Amino acid sequence: MKLNETTVAQNTVFSGRIITVRDDEVVLENGKRTRREVVYHHGGVCVVPFDGENTYLVRQFRYPYKEVVRESPAGKLEPGEDPLECGKRELEEELGAVAGRYTDLGRFYPSPGYTSEVIHLYLAEELSFTQQNLDEDEFLEVEKLPLRRAAEQILSGELVDGKTQAAILKAAALRGLLGEGDR
């Protein structure tokens, strides 16, 4: 098996500021045709700020869920933007922090069944704090908690954002904060 699909037709259904939605026709490896609805997105970053003990989350209202969601600082990539530079920008905007060291924690595909979005994950250490510089349409609160406690909240279902879950669990594992019972 090649596990491949060939695109034979593309139809853009919607093109907005953040996403483009297409309804594509594809040929499967068995020769049958089907449709793929795909949300195209430039991608984003998620940064776990870590001061040696604590991480910092932001609390913000997320319209699709109609609730306040706790997340690691994150943001969308501009077309062609370097992910690390985007992470640095978002960390300073949302948290008012600059990091002396960044560790690449890999990529995260939030929902590969229907979106092309890729989120780049980073651990930010050696923090120094400046001043938040939120976008004019951005309203959030900062929360500080031990990184290990954040990992526990993921495992207990209290911290539900997917990119934050992946990034925090990777950061906690990298820093030896997950015990055998936590994995």
Side-chain angles (χ1 to χ4, degrees):
M1 264 199 242
K2 295 179 184 175
L3 300 176
N4 194 20
E5 299 177 4
T6 304
T7 305
V8 294
Q10 298 175 332
N11 178 35
T12 298
V13 177
F14 172 80
S15 186
R17 293 179 303 113
I18 299 172
I19 63 167
T20 297
V21 179
R22 280 201 340 228
D23 179 20
D24 292 353
E25 184 178 358
V26 300
V27 176
L28 305 175
E29 66 179 67
N30 65 2
K32 294 191 179 199
R33 292 178 180 241
T34 192
R35 305 201 80 71
R36 297 289 185 230
E37 296 171 350
V38 181
V39 176
Y40 290 90
H41 187 284
H42 292 292
V45 298
C46 180
V47 180
V48 177
F50 182 54
D51 67 10
E53 179 183 345
N54 299 298
T55 190
Y56 299 79
L57 301 175
V58 295
R59 299 169 48 90
Q60 59 185 321
F61 184 80
R62 289 302 195 178
Y63 184 81
Y65 301 104
K66 305 287 192 275
E67 67 182 59
V68 173
V69 177
R70 296 162 58 223
E71 308 170 45
S72 290
K76 67 181 184 312
L77 284 163
E78 297 301 326
E81 184 177 22
D82 176 70
L84 179 57
E85 292 307 310
C86 178
K88 290 176 179 180
R89 182 187 74 239
E90 292 295 334
L91 184 65
E92 189 164 14
E93 281 180 12
E94 294 187 2
L95 188 60
V98 176
R101 182 176 66 198
Y102 285 86
T103 303
D104 186 338
L105 297 174
R107 299 175 301 159
F108 175 72
Y109 293 174
S111 194
Y114 70 89
T115 182
S116 68
E117 183 177 17
V118 175
I119 300 175
H120 302 267
L121 311 174
Y122 295 96
L123 173 63
E125 297 176 285
E126 300 172 8
L127 303 176
S128 59
F129 290 87
T130 59
Q131 181 178 338
Q132 264 184 332
N133 186 23
L134 300 175
D135 293 333
E136 70 176 26
D137 62 348
E138 195 170 33
F139 305 93
L140 53 85
E141 297 173 349
V142 175
E143 175 184 342
K144 175 180 169 180
L145 75 159
L147 183 60
R148 181 171 175 79
R149 178 70 185 125
E152 291 167 354
Q153 288 182 2
I154 290 166
L155 298 174
S156 71
E158 295 173 64
L159 195 53
V160 297
D161 176 60
K163 67 186 176 306
T164 299
Q165 289 178 344
I168 284 178
L169 290 176
K170 284 183 164 199
L174 186 65
R175 291 297 167 246
L177 299 173
L178 293 181
E180 280 301 313
D182 298 326
R183 296 182 194 163

